[in-house]
Amino acid sequence: MPDTTLSIRPAGPQDVPTIADYNLALCRETEHRELDPAIVLDGVARLVAEPRRGRYFVAVLSGEIVGQSAHSYEWSDWRNGELWWIQSVYVHPDHRGAGVFRALFEHIQQLGESDPDCRGIRLYMERDNDVACRTYLNLGLRQAGYEVFEKLL
Protein backbone atom coordinates (compact mmCIF):
# COMPACT_ATOMS: atom_id res chain seq x y z
CA MET A 1 0.00 0.00 0.00
CA PRO A 2 1.48 3.42 -0.96
CA ASP A 3 2.39 5.88 1.76
CA THR A 4 -0.26 8.60 1.96
CA THR A 5 1.82 10.83 4.23
CA LEU A 6 3.14 14.02 2.67
CA SER A 7 6.92 14.15 2.87
CA ILE A 8 9.40 16.88 1.98
CA ARG A 9 12.83 16.04 0.63
CA PRO A 10 15.66 17.69 -1.27
CA ALA A 11 15.28 17.38 -5.03
CA GLY A 12 17.65 15.11 -6.88
CA PRO A 13 18.58 14.69 -10.53
CA GLN A 14 15.66 12.29 -11.04
CA ASP A 15 13.24 15.13 -10.15
CA VAL A 16 14.54 17.62 -12.71
CA PRO A 17 12.01 16.85 -15.48
CA THR A 18 9.02 17.18 -13.13
CA ILE A 19 10.33 20.39 -11.58
CA ALA A 20 10.95 21.86 -15.02
CA ASP A 21 7.41 20.93 -16.12
CA TYR A 22 5.99 22.51 -12.95
CA ASN A 23 8.02 25.68 -13.60
CA LEU A 24 6.59 25.91 -17.11
CA ALA A 25 3.08 25.51 -15.68
CA LEU A 26 3.84 28.12 -13.00
CA CYS A 27 4.82 30.71 -15.58
CA ARG A 28 1.81 29.87 -17.72
CA GLU A 29 -0.54 30.30 -14.73
CA THR A 30 0.97 33.40 -13.14
CA GLU A 31 2.42 35.36 -16.06
CA HIS A 32 0.36 33.95 -18.96
CA ARG A 33 3.41 33.28 -21.09
CA GLU A 34 5.50 30.39 -22.31
CA LEU A 35 9.12 29.78 -21.41
CA ASP A 36 11.66 27.85 -23.47
CA PRO A 37 11.43 24.28 -22.07
CA ALA A 38 15.09 23.49 -22.85
CA ILE A 39 16.35 26.54 -20.96
CA VAL A 40 14.12 25.78 -17.96
CA LEU A 41 15.23 22.13 -17.93
CA ASP A 42 18.90 23.18 -18.01
CA GLY A 43 18.29 25.83 -15.33
CA VAL A 44 16.64 23.36 -12.97
CA ALA A 45 19.35 20.77 -13.58
CA ARG A 46 22.03 23.35 -12.84
CA LEU A 47 20.46 24.42 -9.54
CA VAL A 48 20.05 20.81 -8.43
CA ALA A 49 23.69 20.12 -9.33
CA GLU A 50 25.06 23.33 -7.75
CA PRO A 51 23.57 23.67 -4.25
CA ARG A 52 25.78 26.69 -3.48
CA ARG A 53 23.35 28.63 -5.72
CA GLY A 54 20.24 27.36 -3.95
CA ARG A 55 18.20 24.25 -3.36
CA TYR A 56 14.99 22.70 -4.60
CA PHE A 57 12.68 20.76 -2.32
CA VAL A 58 9.80 18.58 -3.41
CA ALA A 59 6.64 17.51 -1.63
CA VAL A 60 5.89 13.85 -2.26
CA LEU A 61 2.61 12.03 -1.72
CA SER A 62 2.13 8.37 -2.62
CA GLY A 63 5.40 8.46 -4.58
CA GLU A 64 4.31 11.44 -6.71
CA ILE A 65 5.75 14.95 -6.60
CA VAL A 66 2.77 17.17 -5.76
CA GLY A 67 4.61 20.41 -5.06
CA GLN A 68 7.94 22.16 -5.11
CA SER A 69 9.80 25.18 -3.88
CA ALA A 70 13.34 26.40 -4.13
CA HIS A 71 15.39 28.93 -2.28
CA SER A 72 18.41 30.89 -3.36
CA TYR A 73 20.86 32.96 -1.37
CA GLU A 74 21.40 36.71 -1.13
CA TRP A 75 24.22 38.09 0.98
CA SER A 76 23.15 40.97 3.24
CA ASP A 77 25.98 43.13 4.49
CA TRP A 78 23.41 45.02 6.60
CA ARG A 79 22.71 41.80 8.49
CA ASN A 80 26.08 40.05 8.09
CA GLY A 81 24.30 36.99 6.82
CA GLU A 82 22.11 35.49 4.13
CA LEU A 83 18.56 36.13 3.13
CA TRP A 84 16.94 33.09 1.59
CA TRP A 85 14.69 33.86 -1.36
CA ILE A 86 11.81 31.46 -1.91
CA GLN A 87 11.15 30.85 -5.59
CA SER A 88 9.64 28.40 -8.07
CA VAL A 89 6.68 27.69 -5.79
CA TYR A 90 4.24 25.31 -7.42
CA VAL A 91 1.62 22.93 -6.11
CA HIS A 92 -0.16 20.61 -8.53
CA PRO A 93 -3.78 21.81 -8.96
CA ASP A 94 -5.15 18.52 -7.56
CA HIS A 95 -3.38 19.18 -4.25
CA ARG A 96 -3.91 22.90 -3.67
CA GLY A 97 -5.43 23.94 -0.39
CA ALA A 98 -4.18 20.79 1.34
CA GLY A 99 -1.15 22.29 3.11
CA VAL A 100 1.49 21.29 0.55
CA PHE A 101 3.11 24.72 0.32
CA ARG A 102 2.82 25.18 4.08
CA ALA A 103 4.83 21.97 4.54
CA LEU A 104 7.45 23.10 2.01
CA PHE A 105 7.73 26.55 3.58
CA GLU A 106 7.96 25.20 7.13
CA HIS A 107 10.70 22.80 6.02
CA ILE A 108 12.74 25.63 4.49
CA GLN A 109 12.06 27.85 7.50
CA GLN A 110 13.31 25.14 9.89
CA LEU A 111 16.47 24.78 7.82
CA GLY A 112 16.95 28.55 7.92
CA GLU A 113 16.41 28.69 11.68
CA SER A 114 19.10 26.05 12.16
CA ASP A 115 21.58 27.78 9.83
CA PRO A 116 23.66 30.41 11.70
CA ASP A 117 24.11 32.45 8.49
CA CYS A 118 20.40 32.70 7.61
CA ARG A 119 18.91 36.02 8.72
CA GLY A 120 15.49 35.71 7.10
CA ILE A 121 13.33 34.47 4.29
CA ARG A 122 11.93 36.58 1.45
CA LEU A 123 9.92 35.97 -1.67
CA TYR A 124 8.37 37.92 -4.47
CA MET A 125 5.09 37.30 -6.24
CA GLU A 126 3.03 38.71 -9.05
CA ARG A 127 1.37 41.87 -7.73
CA ASP A 128 -2.22 40.71 -8.45
CA ASN A 129 -1.88 37.16 -7.10
CA ASP A 130 -4.35 37.54 -4.24
CA VAL A 131 -4.46 33.82 -3.42
CA ALA A 132 -0.67 33.68 -3.01
CA CYS A 133 -0.70 36.89 -0.97
CA ARG A 134 -3.23 35.46 1.51
CA THR A 135 -1.22 32.24 1.74
CA TYR A 136 2.01 34.08 2.51
CA LEU A 137 0.36 36.34 5.08
CA ASN A 138 -1.17 33.27 6.77
CA LEU A 139 2.32 31.77 7.04
CA GLY A 140 3.55 34.81 8.96
CA LEU A 141 5.32 36.60 6.12
CA ARG A 142 4.80 40.36 5.90
CA GLN A 143 5.11 42.78 3.03
CA ALA A 144 8.59 44.26 3.26
CA GLY A 145 7.87 47.60 1.66
CA TYR A 146 10.20 47.06 -1.28
CA GLU A 147 9.41 47.13 -4.98
CA VAL A 148 11.34 44.82 -7.29
CA PHE A 149 12.99 46.34 -10.38
CA GLU A 150 14.87 44.42 -13.01
CA LYS A 151 16.82 44.70 -16.21
CA LEU A 152 17.21 41.32 -17.82
CA LEU A 153 20.42 40.76 -19.77
Side-chain angles (χ1 to χ4, degrees), residues 10-104:
Q14 73 279 6
D15 304 317
V16 168
T18 300
I19 293 170
D21 286 345
Y22 281 6
N23 281 342
L24 295 169
L26 171 64
C27 186
R28 210 173 290 121
E29 287 180 28
T30 60
E31 298 185 22
H32 311 289
R33 63 188 183 100
E34 296 294 324
L35 297 173
D36 182 323
I39 291 174
V40 173
L41 186 67
D42 288 347
V44 171
R46 187 169 177 188
L47 187 61
V48 168
E50 299 177 22
R52 68 180 176 82
R53 296 183 183 279
R55 299 180 286 183
Y56 269 106
F57 296 93
V58 292
V60 179
L61 183 64
S62 300
E64 175 187 351
I65 296 174
V66 298
Q68 69 182 41
S69 185
H71 81 80
S72 58
Y73 305 99
E74 173 192 353
W75 179 256
S76 173
D77 51 347
W78 288 11
R79 293 168 184 84
N80 189 28
E82 297 167 343
L83 295 172
W84 288 9
W85 281 87
I86 301 286
Q87 59 192 63
S88 301
V89 173
Y90 188 79
V91 175
H92 189 280
D94 293 344
H95 299 278
R96 292 180 183 164
V100 173
F101 178 66
R102 175 178 292 278
L104 284 159

